Amino acid sequence: MNTKNEILLGQFIENRDELHQPDPKAISAILRAVERASERVHSVISRAGLADVLGAAGSENIQGEQVQKLDLFANDQFIESLESCNHIAAILSEENDEIISLNESGEYLFATDPLDGSSNIDVNISVGTIFSVFKRNQKGQPKKEEFHRHGYEQVVAGYVLYGTSTVLIYTCGNGVHAFTLEPSSGKFILTNEAIKTPQKGNIFSINEGNYKTLEKGIQNYIGYCKKLNDKGKRTHTARFMGSLVADFHRNLLKGGIFIYPATADAPKGRLRLLYECNPIAMIAEQAGGLATQGKERLLNIKAKEIHERTPFFTGSKVMMNKALSYLDE
Ligand code: AHG
Ligand code: MN
Ligand code: MN
């Protein structure tokens, strides 16, 4: 405890070994490394207009997307911080075509979208970091095929939302816990333990610019969300920021559904399985929500490629079941 009876992330994980099995020490070290990197990313983002970090870096990533300066800065922070924790054998990052080997003797693999929502950086809207950890099944020089795993094998999943405040959310398969950054000390303080998402909600989050290219069932579900009740009032409300972390976090706390389906521009979906959808899906399930690829549970998918994309549906149980019922039609 510190003087104000606040529980820091480090204290929480050290005092709650039962949440961090089978290897509390390693999981603690990995989460502390995430904490350090996120704090650095936060401090640059919070003065982005003053630092030389806005705008494009002038290159494209393997997905053909414009890389932003802040994408690269965030990526460097996570690589550097995780290298120093010694437990990570390799990192898979959205920003690197191939995996990056760190410590051959590390027992874990780390997958990350270091800066999610990067189209929002220059306009001062919330962005995030998403991360996922697998335990290795082998020793020696890490290979990218080691990331070809099922989502349910994740041992840690989490995200950091750089919003009006900066919050770090994680699960080790024993509940979802949230910490808020105290900027003056650079420490994350426990603000919400064992988060449960509402079973019902009224927020639907989908980029409707893609409407005409969506499969009929999803169009019909959007139509359902727009229906009025018998008093002529709306039944749902639409919210879509273009930052998955921010869209998901809002829905997690308030109740809602997030959908990024297959579209004409992204026939396999836009979001990446290993470092966007898997960790969000584990958090959603741990909070009592659902996450699917459409009809199939997302965490049952086994990755075939490191930068693989997937359609993604996640949110409150009642809303998810309603949406999925439209896919059956
Ligand atoms: P990233 O910035 O890591 O490339 O991810 C952006 C993602 C995600 O955050 C968001 O939900 C989605 O892209 C928005 O895509 P559209 O602009 O196609 O709606
Ligand atoms: Mn992203
Ligand atoms: Mn990104």
Side-chain angles (χ1 to χ4, degrees):
M1 293 281 167
N2 65 14
T3 47
K4 283 194 245 162
N5 258 6
E6 289 164 341
I7 301 173
L8 305 180
L9 174 66
Q11 293 168 328
F12 181 78
I13 46 188
E14 272 149 35
N15 295 331
R16 301 290 301 276
D17 278 0
E18 73 279 8
L19 297 181
H20 306 102
Q21 296 301 330
D23 192 353
K25 282 216 161 57
I27 290 173
S28 163
I30 294 167
L31 285 168
R32 298 293 294 273
V34 169
E35 177 184 43
R36 285 194 300 276
S38 319
E39 198 278 320
R40 285 187 225 136
V41 174
H42 157 87
S43 63
V44 169
I45 286 176
S46 63
R47 51 190 301 280
L50 303 169
D52 182 27
V53 291
L54 295 181
S59 55
E60 283 188 355
N61 62 19
I62 191 171
Q63 356 244 349
E65 296 159 348
Q66 274 283 330
V67 174
Q68 305 295 308
K69 287 181 196 165
L70 213 50
D71 286 322
L72 299 182
F73 176 81
N75 197 33
D76 289 347
Q77 302 317 306
F78 280 89
I79 294 168
E80 196 183 302
S81 187
L82 287 153
E83 184 164 29
S84 68
C85 100
N86 288 325
H87 291 282
I88 301 296
I91 296 188
L92 162 65
S93 166
E94 181 191 345
E95 301 309 333
N96 299 98
D97 301 359
E98 299 296 333
I99 64 166
I100 300 168
S101 297
L102 294 186
N103 295 290
E104 218 173 276
S105 58
E107 327 86 286
Y108 293 88
L109 303 167
F110 192 91
T112 186
D113 176 354
L115 214 291
D116 171 65
S118 48
S119 68
N120 282 326
I121 297 168
D122 290 356
V123 291
N124 219 351
I125 291 175
S126 302
V127 292
T129 294
I130 315 175
F131 62 95
S132 163
V133 179
F134 289 112
K135 184 141 173 77
R136 292 185 82 190
N137 291 329
Q138 59 196 76
K139 294 201 159 91
Q141 180 64 30
K143 300 184 188 67
K144 68 177 172 191
E145 290 74 20
E146 290 185 56
F147 283 91
H148 295 178
R149 305 279 288 270
H150 294 95
Y152 60 69
E153 295 177 82
Q154 292 173 101
V155 291
V156 190
Y159 60 79
V160 181
L161 171 60
Y162 310 98
T164 43
S165 60
T166 290
V167 292
L168 187 157
I169 309 282
Y170 83 92
T171 183
C172 290
N174 282 303
V176 177
H177 314 296
F179 298 79
T180 302
L181 179 68
E182 167 55 77
S184 58
S185 66
K187 298 289 175 206
F188 283 89
I189 295 165
L190 180 67
T191 39
N192 205 343
E193 189 174 348
I195 295 174
K196 287 292 168 200
T197 192
Q199 297 288 293
K200 295 181 185 168
N202 69 352
I203 302 170
F204 69 106
S205 307
I206 184 166
N207 185 340
E208 276 198 72
N210 293 315
Y211 181 84
K212 291 212 163 155
T213 79
L214 303 182
E215 67 174 87
K216 203 82 201 131
I218 299 171
Q219 290 181 337
N220 289 342
Y221 177 66
I222 294 172
Y224 161 80
C225 290
K226 291 182 174 178
K227 278 189 180 155
L228 302 179
N229 65 18
D230 49 16
K231 294 194 179 92
K233 301 266 173 68
R234 72 181 185 206
T235 53
H236 293 75
T237 189
R239 293 283 185 274
F240 190 81
M241 294 180 64
S243 279
L244 168 65
V245 172
D247 280 313
F248 175 78
H249 187 71
R250 180 198 54 243
N251 293 0
L252 174 78
L253 298 182
K254 297 201 163 200
I257 188 168
F258 174 94
I259 304 177
Y260 208 114
T263 67
D265 286 346
K268 293 181 175 166
R270 184 189 191 316
L271 300 175
R272 277 56 59 107
L273 175 62
L274 282 166
Y275 44 79
E276 291 181 314
C277 303
N278 263 348
I280 297 286
M282 184 172 176
I283 290 170
E285 285 195 3
Q286 283 292 314
L290 294 176
T292 71
Q293 237 197 354
K295 287 177 200 160
E296 193 170 1
R297 181 188 179 216
L298 190 105
L299 296 180
N300 284 346
I301 310 299
K302 186 176 182 194
K304 295 190 193 71
E305 287 169 31
I306 53 177
H307 294 289
E308 178 171 340
R309 293 176 192 262
T310 178
F312 191 42
F313 299 64
T314 187
S316 300
K317 255 185 193 157
V318 171
M319 291 186 85
M320 281 288 288
N321 286 331
K322 189 73 184 174
L324 301 181
S325 74
Y326 277 88
L327 299 186
D328 291 334
E329 285 178 351

